[in-house]
Amino acid sequence: MQEIKDAVWEAADRLRGSVDAMDLPEYVGGLIFLKYVSDTFAGNRSELRARLDTEGYDEDRVEEMLEDREFSGKSAIWVPRNARWPYITARTATLHVGEVINDAMYATMLANPTLRGALPTIFGRGTADQERLAEAVALIGRVRFTSTEERPAPDVLAEAYEFLLGRFGGDSGTPRSVGRLLVGILEPYNGRVYDPACGSGGLLAQAATFMAAHQGDSGDSVVYGQEINERTWRLARMNLAVHGVVSDLGDRWGDTLAHDEHPGLNADFVMAHPPFGVSDWARNEDDPRWTYGVPPPANANFAWLQHAVSKLSERGTAGIVLANGSLSSRSPSERRIRQALVEADLVAAIVALPGQLFHSTRIAACLWVLAKDKPADHRDRILFIDAHDMGTMVSRTERVLDDEDLAKITGAYHAYRNERGFCFSAGLKAVRRHEYDLAPGRYVGATTQPRALTKDLYGVFN
């Protein structure tokens, strides 16, 4: 993974100056996409060739069968001849590199309808220095996208996209361990999954992987999303395509709060990590989504929460990662919305997350779990889980939740939800049961620091 990140960084550095900085994710993201699909396609062909050779077919017949898409259709993405990496690299020294790459993009989209409109075709522009573009191609060509026992190749590509966005696009998406936490809490075994701020598609890809692992086939499941940035929207479509996920990210990119691309959607699961503390957002006081109150113009936290609620089916569940300010804001309008959400009995759990989980901000965050299908004996109850002291520092600035941390948090949530004697046998260190008589109902807290929990969260619902 580090070799891939180094190659991505060096390729972008080669292009810097001759390409607008805002275009770098699209240039480099397009190249690593072509390299990934070419590597995957070549690997599948090698396996098929070996089998055909063993079965005694002559070389000419083998070549003919390998180019028969119906026969050798194992690849989720069919890569035409002029989009394969050896074809591209063989022509970078003698032809206009940008035109070669553009032709590869057009050919790939033509061969794969799900990718139409998703791949960048900006390489033929006069702004990119062709010599530097050829150097970037050579750098990306040094790495190979392969699966390991720990990580499938599509996840490696997804991390490369997140790294690319983090370094050049301003938003690195949702850290993988946070995505695993969301999936572990929601457990989307089947149904419609929606992310209203999908970024490069990481959360949706993880949800689809979970469905595939538990159903055996994610191909019948469709995930839905929306993304405000055109370049990131394209990366998301590429990311989900290489995961073999059928997705609907809307007809185009767009601001979810201003224009909902999925107005009629009833989702079984909503999972999102929207940008923290968005101000001056597209606020319409008459928007029917504001069932519990009109969010203030200075912060979109409760716009995202109410948008999630508006998308939930009658038995739907949502997990929304927000800044901790969403729990303690004293803004009158936010307090009213927060109280209304609680009185409507939509809040199932709050998880206080550790700091330094997010690449792009040091803001402390929490996970809101909203549910329309609370069991009868959970009515007027909210579970608090304080996980702020969990996680392992993997660098000077980055913390991750490891398998043990995730098992403790999700185990605590599901033990509570399933009422297994409210026993946190797999649970948090030194966890005890606490009940608080907080208006308007009865709340349960699981925490290693009950005093801090009371101090920080009492005002949330009082």
Side-chain angles (χ1 to χ4, degrees), residues 5 17 77 83 92 109 114 170 191 199 247 286 317 336 385 387 398 453 461:
K5 289 180 178 179
I77 297 175
T92 54
M109 287 191 286
T114 58
S247 65
D286 298 324
T317 309
R336 284 194 295 271
I385 298 178
E398 182 182 2
L453 181 76
F461 305 111

Side-chain angles (χ1 to χ4, degrees), residues 294-311:
V294 180
N299 197 310
N301 281 339
F302 286 90
W304 289 112
L305 282 174
Q306 292 190 83
H307 175 76
V309 172
S310 76
K311 290 299 181 189

Side-chain angles (χ1 to χ4, degrees), residues 292-297 302 330-338:
Y292 304 97
V294 180
F302 286 90
R330 300 298 179 182
S331 158
S333 58
E334 291 190 326
R335 283 176 61 88
R336 284 194 295 271
I337 298 169
R338 195 162 49 211

Side-chain angles (χ1 to χ4, degrees), residues 114-388:
T114 58
L115 287 172
R116 288 180 187 173
L119 304 187
T121 54
I122 58 175
F123 298 90
R125 294 177 184 172
T127 55
D129 181 271
Q130 295 301 293
E131 185 175 342
R132 293 189 184 189
L133 186 54
E135 291 174 357
V137 170
L139 284 164
I140 298 298
R142 293 177 186 174
V143 299
R144 181 168 175 79
F145 291 92
T146 54
S147 297
T148 65
E149 290 184 4
E150 294 79 21
R151 301 192 61 186
D155 288 354
V156 176
L157 180 68
E159 186 170 337
Y161 282 156
E162 290 165 7
F163 170 78
L164 186 63
L165 289 172
R167 299 303 292 266
F168 304 104
D171 181 6
S172 58
T174 306
R176 182 170 175 77
S177 66
V178 177
R180 292 179 63 199
L181 174 62
L182 278 165
V183 171
I185 290 285
L186 298 182
E187 292 189 335
Y189 289 105
N190 53 64
R192 296 173 297 275
V193 181
Y194 171 62
D195 183 348
C198 69
S200 59
L203 284 180
L204 294 175
Q206 286 184 267
T209 299
F210 181 91
M211 284 190 280
H214 293 85
Q215 287 184 314
D217 177 18
S218 65
D220 293 334
S221 301
V222 180
V223 299
Y224 300 82
Q226 186 164 341
E227 167 55 34
I228 191 171
N229 182 279
E230 176 186 357
R231 296 171 180 84
T232 310
W233 178 77
R234 295 186 193 281
L235 287 178
R237 291 188 60 191
M238 289 187 261
N239 187 11
L240 294 170
V242 300
H243 277 83
V245 179
V246 180
S247 65
D248 181 351
L249 304 188
D251 293 333
R252 58 182 289 115
W253 57 97
D255 182 349
T256 303
L257 298 180
H259 178 73
D260 181 8
E261 284 287 321
H262 304 285
L265 177 65
N266 284 316
D268 302 290
F269 305 96
V270 176
M271 51 199 307
H273 165 211
F276 293 158
V278 174
S279 59
D280 298 323
W281 53 281
R283 181 173 176 266
N284 176 3
E285 293 189 6
D286 298 324
D287 195 309
R289 289 175 290 185
W290 314 149
T291 303
Y292 304 97
V294 180
N299 197 310
N301 281 339
F302 286 90
W304 289 112
L305 282 174
Q306 292 190 83
H307 175 76
V309 172
S310 76
K311 290 299 181 189
L312 287 178
S313 65
E314 287 305 311
R315 296 183 58 82
T317 309
I320 312 295
V321 177
L322 294 174
N324 271 357
S326 61
L327 299 174
S328 57
S329 167
R330 300 298 179 182
S331 158
S333 58
E334 291 190 326
R335 283 176 61 88
R336 284 194 295 271
I337 298 169
R338 195 162 49 211
Q339 180 177 347
L341 288 170
V342 172
E343 290 176 344
D345 210 16
L346 288 167
V347 185
I350 299 288
V351 181
L353 299 173
Q356 296 180 280
L357 283 178
F358 302 94
H359 308 295
S360 56
T361 181
R362 298 179 67 86
I363 295 175
C366 60
L367 169 61
W368 288 68
V369 182
L370 309 173
K372 283 194 171 182
D373 65 339
K374 275 190 177 183
D377 53 0
H378 282 197
R379 301 286 163 76
D380 296 326
R381 299 172 70 189
I382 296 174
L383 172 69
F384 292 104
I385 298 178
D386 183 355
H388 83 273

